[in-house]
Amino acid sequence: MTYQWQTVLGYLPQYLHAALLALRITVLAFILATVCATVAALARNSSVGMLRLVAGVYVEVIRNTPVLLQIFIVFFALPSFGLHFHAVTAGVLALGINVGAYMCEVFRAGIASVTRGQTEAAQILGLSRRQTFVFVVVPQALRNVYPATVNNLLQVLLGTSLLTAIAVPEITGVAIVINARTLLFVQVFLMALLLYLVLSNLLSLAAAVLGRVIFRPPLPIGFVGPRLPRFKRPGRPERAVVS
Amino acid sequence: MTTTTNLRDAEVDSSIRLRSVTKSFGSTEVLKKVDLDVASGEVVVLIGASGSGKSTVLRIMSGLETSDSGEVWVGSTPLHDPRRAREIRGHVGMVFQQFNLFPHLTALGNVTLALRKARKMSTSEANTVGMRSLERVGLSDKAESYPSQLSGGQQQRVAIARALAVSPRIMFFDEATSALDPELVGEVTAVMRQLADEGMTMVVVTHEMRFARRTADRVMFVDDGVIAEQGDPEQVLTNPQHPRTQQFLRKVLEA
Amino acid sequence: MNTDLIIESLPQLLHGLAVTVGLSVAAIAGSTVIGLLVATARTSKLPVISQLGRAYVEIFRGSPLPITLLFIYFGAVYYLGYSLNLFVAATVGLSLYHGAYVAEIFRSGIEAVHVGQREAAQVLGLSNSQVFFSVVLPQTRRIVMPPLVGQYISLVKDTSIAFLIGTVELMKVGQSIVDRTGQSVPIYLSVAVLYFIICYPLSVWVRRSDRKVVSQ
C-alpha cells in the first residue's frame, strides 16, 4: 500500500463521520421532499385554481433555478426575515424543498399513468371517486413511481455535496479540509468518490429490498436503481405497469 | 343503496330504452338519433365496423359516457338526467376489452373490492360472495393469484366474476374477447353463454359471429351512428337485407 | 426592497450571466461530444469498450459534480500551477460530468427506435451503416431532443457549482455582491430571475416536445 493511501486512510474516521452526516441529511431531506411532493401533486391536480397556481409556481421556480442558489437563500437570506437556521438544518430544508419539486412531477406522472380503464372499471363497480383514488389509483401510482423516487433519493444524496458551501462537514467538505492538510488530492477525492458510490449503491439496494417487501406482486428485480432518463417511446401509450 | 343478492332480481326491470340519442366527440357525430330497446333477460349483440359507434352505444348504456341529447333509460333510471345517472353504478356490470383488472390485487381481491368498500360488507362476507363468483367462472382455484400470473382468458373470466359479484341487473361486454389469443376466446364465450342461459340481460359488442349466432336473441348492425339493421341472428347474419350489412359481413367473412 | 442596489449591480450581474452562458454553451458542446463517444462505446460489440463506457457512466453519475470539479481543479493546479484557466477547468468538469448523462440519453434513444424497424430495414437489404444513418438516426434525433434539452437545462443550472472552484460566473458575482453589501434578498432575487429567464422557456419547450413525441 502506498504511502499516500496510508495517509489518507488514516483519516477514515473523519470520512465515515462525514458519510453518516450526509446519510442523515439525505434521509431527513428525502422525507421532507416526499411531503412537499405529495402536497404539491395533490394541489396541482386539485380543482381549486389558487392551489394549482401556487403549487405550479413552486415547482417551476425551484426547477428552473440552481439548487446552490436555493441553499444560499435558505441559509443567508431567510435570516433577514427572522428565520435563522443552523447549516445542517438549512441544508435539509433546501434540499428537501428542491427535490420535492422534482418528485412532485414524478408523482403526478405516476397518477396520470394509471389508465382510464382502471377508473372506469372501479366506477362501474360502484366505488366512489375517493374510494377509486385511494384503493385503485394510489396503489398503482405508487408502484409506478417507485423507481423514479429512488432516483430522487440519490439526487438528494449527491446534493449534500453542495452543502460544503455553507460549511457543513459532509463528505466533500471534509475532503477539501483533508486535502488542504495533506495535498494528496488524488487519494483524498478518490476516497470521497468511493464513499459516494458506496452510499448510493447501499441506498439503491435498500430501496430494492424495501420494494420487494411492500409491493405484492413484487416488482421485478432489475426494476430499482439509478435509471435512464425517463423515455417516452413513440407510439407507446402511457399505461400502468404490470410486472 | 339497495343490495340485490341474486340473479332473480335481474328480472326487476332490467330493460334498456334509448330514444333519439345523439353523441358527438369534438366535431365528429358518432351517434345520430339512435333508438334502441333491450328487454329484460334479452341477449343483444351489436356488430359493426370500428368507428361505427357500437362501443359508444354500450358506454352510454352503462353510464360511462353521457348522451348529448335524447333519453337513456336503464330500468327506471334516467341516465340522461345527470343527477340520477350515478344510480346505476354498482348495479350493472361491464367487461372491458383490456380487462382492466386491478394489478395490485389478487383475483379474489379484485372481485371483493367493491363489495368491501362500496357495499361495506365485512371481509368474510365479501370473500364468501367473491368465491362463489369465481366458482361461477371456474376459477376458484386461482383466488390468490395476481392478474400478471393469469392467462388472458383467465384474466377476463376474473373480470366477469368481478362484475357479477355485485349482482348486476345487466351485463355489458365491450369486445370482451378481441384482445385474447384465439385459443383463449372459447373459455370466455362459454362463461358468457352460461350467463345468457341463466337469464341475464346482456348487451354484447363483439366480432365473434359464432357467439352471436348461437347465443344472441337479437343482433343489431351499427353503421355510421345509426342502427342500420336488427333482428333475429339467423336472419341478420345469414340473410342480411340492408346493403351495408351485406357489405360488412362480406368483409368480415373474407378476413 | 433595495431596487437601487439591483440597478447598480446589474452590469456586474449581467457580466456574470455572460460568463454563465459562455460556460453553458461550451459545456453543452463538450458534453454532447463526450456523450456521443461514450454512447457509441456502450453500444459497441467489443466487451472491453462497452464495459469502459459503462464504468464511465457509473462513476460520473454516481458522484457529485463538486468532486469532479475539485479533482480537475487540484489536478490542474498541481500540473499547471496557478496559471490554470478557471473557465476551462469548469468547462472540462461540466462536460465530463454531464457527458455521462448525455451518453445515457443517446443510448436510450438509439435503443428506443423500435428494434423491429432496424430488422425491417435489414431485411429490405440496407447495409448496417445505411440502417443506422437513414432509419435509426433520424428517429433518434426526434426522440432524444426533449430529454437532451432537459439535460442541458440542468447543465446551465450546474454552472453555478463552478462557484466552488472560484469561477467568476453569475452565482459567484452575486455572492460577492451579497458579501460586500450584506443585502442578500434583492441580489439573490435578481440572480434567481436571471437563471429563470434562461431556463424556463427551455423547460416549456421540453414539455411541449415531450408531448408531441408521445402522441406520435
Side-chain angles (χ1 to χ4, degrees):
Chain A
M1 167 122 62
T2 67
Y3 150 77
Q4 290 105 324
W5 273 110
Q6 267 185 319
T7 323
V8 171
L9 284 172
Y11 286 95
L12 205 54
Q14 285 91 327
Y15 273 114
L16 290 176
H17 216 73
L20 253 98
L21 178 61
L23 211 56
R24 256 177 41 221
I25 297 177
T26 302
V27 172
L28 288 171
F30 183 71
I31 295 175
L32 176 61
T34 308
V35 172
C36 290
T38 311
V39 172
L42 288 172
R44 285 198 85 170
N45 285 356
S46 99
S47 39
V48 180
M50 185 49 62
L51 278 175
R52 275 205 313 271
L53 185 65
V54 170
V57 168
Y58 158 62
V59 169
E60 289 307 319
V61 169
I62 296 286
R63 281 166 45 122
N64 289 295
T65 52
V67 56
L68 189 60
L69 177 64
Q70 292 159 20
I71 293 173
F72 281 174
I73 289 178
V74 171
F75 190 63
F76 293 121
L78 288 189
S80 309
F81 299 101
L83 297 163
H84 301 262
F85 299 109
H86 288 305
V88 172
T89 318
V92 170
L93 275 171
L95 286 176
I97 292 176
N98 177 270
V99 177
Y102 289 92
M103 267 176 81
C104 167
E105 294 305 282
V106 168
F107 283 3
R108 286 178 71 215
I111 293 175
S113 73
V114 179
T115 64
R116 220 171 54 140
Q118 290 286 313
T119 44
E120 284 182 351
Q123 255 187 316
I124 294 244
L125 287 169
L127 291 165
S128 72
R129 290 261 307 259
R130 206 201 111 249
Q131 289 169 330
T132 306
F133 188 70
V134 172
F135 297 107
V136 174
V137 176
V138 168
Q140 293 186 54
L142 232 51
R143 280 164 179 74
N144 292 350
V145 303
Y146 195 68
T149 309
V150 174
N151 251 0
N152 290 126
L153 177 64
L154 299 178
Q155 204 182 335
V156 179
L157 174 67
L158 296 187
T160 60
S161 155
L162 296 173
L163 298 180
T164 164
I166 55 173
V168 168
E170 43 69 56
I171 301 174
T172 310
V174 149
I176 293 177
V177 169
I178 298 175
N179 177 54
R181 238 180 263 170
T182 65
L183 299 180
L184 300 169
F185 74 94
V186 172
Q187 287 80 358
V188 168
F189 289 114
L190 259 176
M191 189 69 200
L193 182 94
L194 268 152
L195 272 172
Y196 279 113
L197 286 175
V198 166
L199 281 178
S200 50
N201 281 307
L202 266 173
L203 285 173
S204 293
L205 193 64
V209 170
L210 191 67
R212 301 218 108 215
V213 166
I214 20 178
F215 294 126
R216 267 160 312 198
L219 302 173
I221 272 275
F223 215 34
V224 177
R227 287 214 106 215
L228 309 169
R230 201 166 56 95
F231 240 118
K232 296 204 177 95
R233 297 168 194 211
R236 273 247 219 120
E238 286 265 70
R239 35 178 59 243
V241 172
V242 176
S243 68
Chain B
M1 256 205 298
T2 54
T3 339
T4 57
T5 45
N6 57 42
L7 210 48
R8 239 191 317 112
D9 295 295
E11 292 160 3
V12 176
D13 200 4
S14 57
S15 64
I16 304 175
R17 277 188 347 266
L18 264 64
R19 294 285 177 270
S20 273
V21 168
T22 58
K23 178 75 180 174
S24 300
F25 288 113
S27 51
T28 329
E29 208 186 355
V30 176
L31 294 181
K32 305 169 181 168
K33 285 194 171 259
V34 173
D35 288 328
L36 188 82
D37 279 280
V38 177
S40 278
E42 224 193 336
V43 175
V44 170
V45 170
L46 301 173
I47 60 172
S50 31
S52 57
K54 58 188 193 307
S55 279
T56 313
V57 167
L58 199 72
R59 287 168 64 88
I60 285 184
M61 284 195 253
S62 57
L64 288 176
E65 309 267 6
T66 36
S67 53
D68 292 336
S69 71
E71 291 188 353
V72 182
W73 294 90
V74 174
S76 49
T77 313
L79 289 187
H80 48 275
D81 181 350
R83 286 168 301 158
R84 297 196 54 195
R86 291 184 167 224
E87 287 171 20
I88 62 160
R89 298 217 180 138
H91 294 282
V92 299
M94 176 89 139
V95 179
F96 300 85
Q97 181 177 2
Q98 298 297 336
F99 321 149
N100 287 329
L101 286 181
F102 307 132
H104 58 291
L105 298 175
T106 59
L108 187 60
N110 262 274
V111 173
T112 56
L113 182 67
L115 298 174
R116 283 178 287 124
K117 302 299 173 187
R119 295 278 174 93
K120 315 274 193 222
M121 279 190 196
S122 72
T123 313
S124 51
E125 239 193 298
N127 283 352
T128 318
V129 176
M131 283 305 291
R132 235 184 301 147
S133 214
L134 283 172
E135 272 162 31
R136 272 177 89 179
V137 302
L139 285 174
S140 44
D141 57 329
K142 296 286 184 190
E144 295 303 315
S145 302
Y146 286 95
S148 53
Q149 300 167 309
L150 301 172
S151 76
Q154 291 169 328
Q155 288 185 50
Q156 194 63 302
R157 282 191 282 152
V158 172
I160 296 177
R162 179 178 67 175
L164 289 174
V166 299
S167 302
R169 292 183 253 149
I170 307 170
M171 282 287 282
F172 296 105
F173 293 82
D174 193 355
E175 304 214 29
T177 54
S178 300
L180 294 175
D181 291 333
E183 68 268 18
L184 300 172
V185 169
E187 64 191 71
V188 174
T189 51
V191 172
M192 290 166 71
R193 190 163 43 251
Q194 189 189 319
L195 281 176
D197 289 342
E198 290 169 5
M200 174 69 81
T201 314
M202 292 164 58
V203 184
V204 179
V205 170
T206 187
H207 294 305
E208 293 287 317
M209 298 305 168
R210 227 171 1 137
F211 173 84
R213 197 170 318 201
R214 291 171 70 181
T215 319
D217 293 322
R218 239 185 327 144
V219 170
M220 298 186 188
F221 173 62
V222 184
D223 181 52
D224 199 25
V226 295
I227 300 188
E229 187 170 348
Q230 60 174 300
D232 193 56
E234 213 44 57
Q235 180 253 302
V236 174
L237 294 173
T238 21
N239 201 4
Q241 304 293 311
H242 200 279
R244 298 280 299 166
T245 324
Q246 296 165 350
Q247 228 179 3
F248 172 74
L249 286 172
R250 219 174 309 146
K251 288 221 207 98
V252 168
L253 293 172
E254 274 165 27
Chain C
M1 178 70 60
N2 196 338
T3 45
D4 294 325
L5 179 61
I6 298 180
I7 299 173
E8 256 179 57
S9 322
L10 213 49
Q12 283 176 299
L13 290 174
L14 288 177
H15 182 257
L17 183 64
V19 175
T20 293
V21 171
L23 209 48
S24 307
V25 171
I28 286 176
S31 60
T32 309
V33 170
I34 293 180
L36 272 168
L37 287 170
V38 175
T40 316
R42 284 213 66 175
T43 52
S44 151
K45 298 291 197 316
L46 302 168
V48 174
I49 308 236
S50 72
Q51 287 305 327
L52 273 174
R54 189 161 159 233
Y56 181 96
V57 170
E58 296 282 331
I59 292 176
F60 281 101
R61 287 195 346 165
S63 59
L65 178 58
I67 297 283
T68 304
L69 285 174
L70 288 166
F71 242 120
I72 293 175
Y73 176 77
F74 287 110
V77 166
Y78 183 76
Y79 288 107
L80 306 171
Y82 280 94
S83 64
L84 88 128
N85 184 323
L86 289 170
F87 184 93
V88 172
T91 305
V92 173
L94 284 165
S95 301
L96 285 172
Y97 179 77
H98 281 274
Y101 290 87
V102 171
E104 285 302 273
I105 293 176
F106 280 143
R107 188 172 72 88
S108 306
I110 293 174
E111 290 176 359
V113 175
H114 206 6
V115 175
Q117 294 225 15
R118 271 181 275 162
E119 290 179 343
Q122 279 175 334
V123 167
L124 283 170
L126 297 173
S127 77
N128 268 337
S129 61
Q130 284 175 321
V131 170
F132 187 72
F133 285 107
S134 314
V135 176
V136 176
L137 213 53
Q139 297 193 61
T140 308
R141 242 194 46 195
R142 212 179 7 103
I143 305 172
V144 143
M145 277 309 256
L148 196 60
V149 174
Q151 192 60 39
Y152 292 157
I153 298 175
S154 294
L155 193 154
V156 171
K157 288 183 290 175
D158 281 351
T159 57
S160 62
I161 300 180
F163 167 94
L164 295 175
I165 59 170
T167 315
V168 183
E169 40 67 59
L170 180 57
M171 192 73 231
K172 179 126 180 74
V173 168
Q175 188 64 13
S176 50
I177 299 176
V178 171
D179 287 340
R180 192 171 35 91
T181 65
Q183 303 262 1
S184 54
V185 176
I187 299 299
Y188 284 146
L189 207 65
S190 317
V191 171
V193 167
L194 288 172
Y195 276 112
F196 193 80
I197 297 178
I198 303 183
C199 296
Y200 186 63
L202 292 172
S203 297
V204 171
W205 185 91
V206 170
R207 253 200 303 270
R208 220 163 278 167
S209 341
D210 227 2
R211 231 169 284 154
K212 268 200 288 189
V213 173
V214 173
S215 64
Q216 275 164 358

